[in-house]
Amino acid sequence: MEGFLLQASIYLAAAVIAVPIAARLGLGSVLGYLAAGILIGPVFGFVSTESQDLQHFAEFGVVMMLFIIGLELEPRALWDMRHRLLGLGGLQILATMALITGAAMALGQPLSIALAIGMIFSLSSTAIVLQTLSEKGLMQTAGGRSIFSVLLTQDIAVIPMLALLPLLALPRSATINPDGSINHRTLEEAHHSISFVEGLPGWQVTLVTLGAVAVVVLAGVYLTRPVFRFIHAAHLREMYTALALLIVVGIAFLMSAVGLSPALGTFLAGVVLANSEFRHELESDIEPFKGLLLGLFFITVGSSIDFKVLFGDPLTIFGLTAALIALKGAVLYPLGRAFKLRGRNLWLFTLGLAQAGEFGFVLISFSTQTNVLPDAIAEPLLLVIALSMLATPLMFILHDVLARRMQDSAHAEDEDEINEQGPVIIAGIGRFGQIVNRLVQSSGFKTVVIDNDMKTIELMRRFGFKGFFGDPTRPELLHAAGLSEARVLVAAMDNPEAVTKLVTYARRECPDLHIIARARDRNHVYRLYQAGANDIVRETFDSSLRAGRYVLENVGLSDYEASEAEKTFFHHDRMTVRELAKLYDPNIPAGENTAYIARAKELEKELETALMTQIYAAREGGSDAA
């Protein structure tokens, strides 16, 4: 017992230390888990052979991940995305597999091993790439959406890959008995596992396998609702978690017993349940277990990497890593051009997907278990995958450099020629800017609207509102819209950096222009204040203030008292922002700025006093009136 607790403490401590550090460095959680495994395994030697046994248990996190992927893939949504999934995503996988398989065969590998390597390296890192795209605000760009389509296709493609890999295995355990039945396991495996198809003729094996799949589908369609109603009657939260685990574990066992991949069965169940009202409940119950087990899986992969292979022949390992990135880039670049990606988006698509992915670790582990890959080949492949994933942040940095230096002529040519001017320029017509635009236009004033989202502009035009497509921060577009003659500029873009950039330029060019700016949060307010905005509107301030008034009205204050409290808070907060803006220093975090903190505390006390005084005065006024 003490040994188990010690090992558990080592694994958890390594994860708790390494993963947050990796996340802060922008490397992602997957590389953090790998680094944790490398530290407790090859570096310090805290764990050894037991990590191999633990890895078999941790692989259940992969099964849970595929169940959640299935839950998120509604059949209707998949059908709507079929062109990009089958076109862009499918061509990327097939072309990369073909190129890498050919390269592996040229290096002397037989077809079966070369094809397995092609499958493994055709995948990219969903975890690292999506996290980086979100952090950099690139998810909604054309390149970001194309990357998401390819990653989604790759996640789905893992299922057939897991089914096909055993067919590439060297013959070892599947034999034909004298009576014509199929013997799938060795004698030792038969003593330690349960099989519903052991000793059956081939046609019966097929019927049993199809029957198991039908059971999963029918149970998901017809049994889920009554079982959830039965569980709900107990009014015990943990029963939902128990049921979610039962679904995943039970289906995994059934699939294993009929000779299919557990991941395939749970993925199928997830797709079946994707349209059910219990989808989010199942996902929230499974997610913590999936995250921990998947993290444990990556730790065990890191702890089992043999760095003697790297130090024994570093040129070969680094050369293979560079060759992998180059080969994938050679597929991605022309494919992106064929699907009309240009400029920054094309380079984002090419560099963002050029690494190998975390599912490669899963496929290598599965391939060694099924005798597809020998250990002598699996060890270098693990290192190549890990090194290519470590190179991902560098590739995104390279994209940023190229994006800054590149004259994105294709984007500029697509921009509209602005042939109108007006007293009000509205930059950004999303959920914030469109309300401003409707109010101003409906009041009889002309506006010039600029936005860099073509779909939004086209949607506006369908509803009778004219707008121009282009980057609102570009000086030539602003001057074409009449910046020098305009009375008001509304900076309403989604991107806080773009808003600050626009306000800074407009104030420098037009000192008398009245600038109204949309702010993400209070720190953004301070930056806009320093940039020269006249009126700064926080995105959620007014709506939050109204919600607070509703709370006061329902906890004992009258409508009049709550309204007066709302007004007092509003005016005091505006004064507070002006006061704190003088002490704000962008080079010092707010939590470390002592003068800022001291003044904020003083202003908060003043707010409490002002609110209590106002509520008391409102009550007194109401009593006198009565």
Side-chain angles (χ1 to χ4, degrees):
M1 184 66 178
E2 290 79 5
F4 168 77
L5 293 176
L6 175 62
Q7 292 298 321
S9 300
I10 291 173
Y11 280 99
L12 291 173
V16 168
I17 294 172
V19 174
I21 293 176
R24 286 196 172 197
L25 295 175
L27 300 177
S29 60
V30 174
L31 290 178
Y33 285 120
L34 288 174
I38 291 170
L39 289 174
I40 64 176
V43 176
F44 295 113
F46 293 145
V47 297
S48 53
T49 56
E50 65 272 7
S51 65
Q52 298 293 333
D53 299 328
L54 190 60
Q55 186 171 341
H56 298 306
F57 172 72
E59 284 169 359
F60 207 76
V62 178
V63 174
M64 292 183 171
M65 178 198 285
L66 289 168
F67 178 67
I68 290 179
I69 290 174
L71 284 175
E72 294 172 348
L73 298 181
E74 296 185 33
R76 185 183 299 276
L78 286 177
W79 179 253
D80 293 339
M81 297 176 63
R82 63 190 182 279
H83 297 299
R84 281 207 169 265
L85 293 178
L86 296 177
L88 187 59
L91 285 175
Q92 182 274 325
I93 293 172
L94 293 175
T96 306
M97 280 179 56
L99 193 58
I100 293 178
T101 299
M105 293 181 69
L107 294 175
Q109 297 298 334
L111 176 60
S112 60
I113 292 179
L115 189 56
I117 294 174
M119 291 183 190
I120 291 166
F121 284 156
S122 67
L123 306 177
S124 303
S125 177
T126 301
I128 295 177
V129 174
L130 289 186
Q131 178 180 333
T132 307
L133 289 176
S134 299
E135 290 173 353
K136 292 180 175 290
L138 297 171
M139 185 65 76
Q140 296 305 319
T141 63
R145 291 193 296 268
S146 298
I147 286 175
F148 178 78
S149 298
V150 171
L151 291 173
L152 180 57
T153 307
Q154 291 178 358
D155 288 346
I156 298 173
V158 170
I159 303 301
M161 287 180 183
L162 289 172
L164 290 173
L165 277 174
L167 303 178
L168 304 176
L170 299 173
R172 63 171 185 176
S173 60
T175 58
I176 305 298
N177 293 328
D179 61 357
S181 62
I182 297 177
N183 179 20
H184 287 273
R185 296 174 173 80
T186 63
L187 181 62
E188 181 181 356
E189 289 171 328
H191 285 305
H192 293 86
S193 60
I194 298 174
S195 173
F196 295 159
V197 296
E198 188 68 37
L200 295 178
W203 66 272
Q204 291 185 11
V205 172
T206 303
L207 287 179
V208 172
T209 303
L210 292 176
V213 173
V215 166
V216 171
V217 174
L218 294 174
V221 173
Y222 295 107
L223 290 183
T224 307
R225 287 181 177 84
V227 171
F228 262 94
R229 282 197 292 267
F230 175 75
I231 292 297
H232 180 72
H235 299 292
L236 294 173
R237 182 68 185 83
E238 61 270 23
M239 287 297 99
Y240 290 104
T241 304
L243 177 59
L245 290 173
L246 174 62
I247 291 173
V248 175
V249 174
I251 292 173
F253 165 73
L254 179 61
M255 293 296 104
S256 299
V258 297
L260 293 178
S261 165
L264 175 63
T266 52
F267 175 81
L268 178 63
V271 173
V272 171
L273 295 171
N275 286 323
S276 74
E277 61 269 37
F278 311 109
R279 164 189 168 187
H280 297 295
E281 179 68 32
L282 288 168
E283 189 172 351
S284 63
D285 288 333
I286 292 295
E287 184 68 34
F289 296 96
K290 183 268 295 183
L292 282 175
L293 289 175
L294 204 58
L296 181 60
F297 171 77
F298 291 129
I299 292 177
T300 58
V301 168
S303 65
S304 62
I305 291 178
D306 188 358
F307 275 84
K308 294 178 182 177
V309 177
L310 175 61
F311 298 140
D313 195 359
L315 291 179
T316 299
I317 299 300
F318 284 109
L320 288 173
T321 304
L324 170 65
I325 294 173
L327 286 174
K328 296 192 76 169
V331 171
L332 291 163
Y333 188 86
L335 194 60
R337 288 192 66 87
F339 279 79
K340 300 181 180 179
L341 293 176
R342 297 292 184 270
R344 301 168 187 169
N345 289 313
L346 178 59
W347 282 111
L348 175 63
F349 179 74
T350 302
L351 296 172
L353 293 171
Q355 77 292 113
E358 55 273 4
F359 269 121
F361 296 124
V362 177
L363 295 181
I364 289 177
S365 175
F366 185 69
S367 298
T368 55
Q369 293 174 21
T370 53
N371 204 33
V372 176
L373 292 177
D375 291 339
I377 293 178
E379 290 292 346
L381 295 184
L382 288 173
L383 286 168
V384 169
I385 293 175
L387 290 174
S388 70
M389 291 171 69
L390 282 170
T392 303
L394 298 178
M395 289 187 280
F396 273 99
I397 292 173
L398 176 59
H399 162 263
D400 293 341
V401 172
L402 291 173
R404 284 194 296 268
R405 293 185 178 182
M406 185 183 302
Q407 294 295 330
D408 201 348
S409 57
H411 179 74
E413 291 172 2
D414 289 338
E415 291 180 332
D416 292 334
E417 179 182 353
I418 300 179
N419 51 17
E420 292 185 6
Q421 296 184 352
V424 179
I425 299 174
I426 299 179
I429 196 67
R431 56 190 172 88
F432 187 96
Q434 64 174 287
I435 296 175
V436 177
N437 184 55
R438 287 171 56 200
L439 174 61
V440 174
Q441 281 198 0
S442 300
S443 301
F445 296 93
K446 185 177 180 180
T447 64
V448 179
V449 175
I450 310 172
D451 196 285
N452 61 356
D453 189 331
M454 177 57 78
K455 291 184 178 179
T456 301
I457 293 296
E458 291 175 348
L459 182 63
M460 277 185 58
R461 290 170 180 170
R462 291 194 192 101
F463 284 91
F465 294 95
K466 186 172 183 179
F468 297 95
F469 171 69
D471 183 356
T473 63
R474 291 184 58 202
E476 56 268 33
L477 286 181
L478 290 171
H479 286 289
L483 180 66
S484 56
E485 289 80 25
R487 296 171 57 188
V488 179
L489 169 67
V490 181
M493 298 95 79
D494 288 332
N495 189 326
E497 287 73 23
V499 172
T500 306
K501 179 181 177 181
L502 173 59
V503 170
T504 303
Y505 175 79
R507 175 56 66 219
R508 185 173 65 247
E509 292 292 308
C510 305
D512 297 328
L513 179 68
H514 193 95
I515 301 176
I516 302 168
R518 167 187 179 179
R520 175 67 57 85
D521 51 32
R522 181 167 284 192
N523 287 336
H524 192 205
V525 170
Y526 301 147
R527 296 198 298 273
L528 291 172
Y529 177 83
Q530 294 173 351
N534 298 100
D535 295 313
I536 304 169
V537 183
R538 276 174 280 171
E539 292 178 350
T540 59
F541 178 73
D542 291 323
S543 55
S544 301
L545 197 57
R546 191 165 67 250
R549 190 189 77 216
Y550 295 153
V551 172
L552 294 177
E553 290 173 356
N554 287 275
V555 293
L557 297 189
S558 67
D559 291 355
Y560 175 72
E561 292 167 351
S563 177
E564 290 300 305
E566 179 187 17
K567 292 177 184 177
T568 301
F569 187 97
F570 175 82
H571 293 296
H572 186 276
D573 188 83
R574 294 192 68 177
M575 182 271 293
T576 297
V577 170
R578 288 193 295 269
E579 286 285 315
L580 294 179
K582 301 173 185 176
L583 302 173
Y584 174 74
D585 187 342
N587 299 316
I588 303 176
E592 299 175 9
N593 189 331
T594 54
Y596 179 94
I597 293 173
R599 184 57 178 148
K601 289 180 177 179
E602 293 173 1
L603 291 168
E604 187 65 23
K605 290 181 180 179
E606 291 177 11
L607 172 63
E608 293 177 7
T609 303
L611 282 173
M612 295 305 298
T613 302
Q614 181 60 51
I615 292 172
Y616 178 78
R619 285 178 176 172
E620 288 296 314
S623 301
D624 294 341

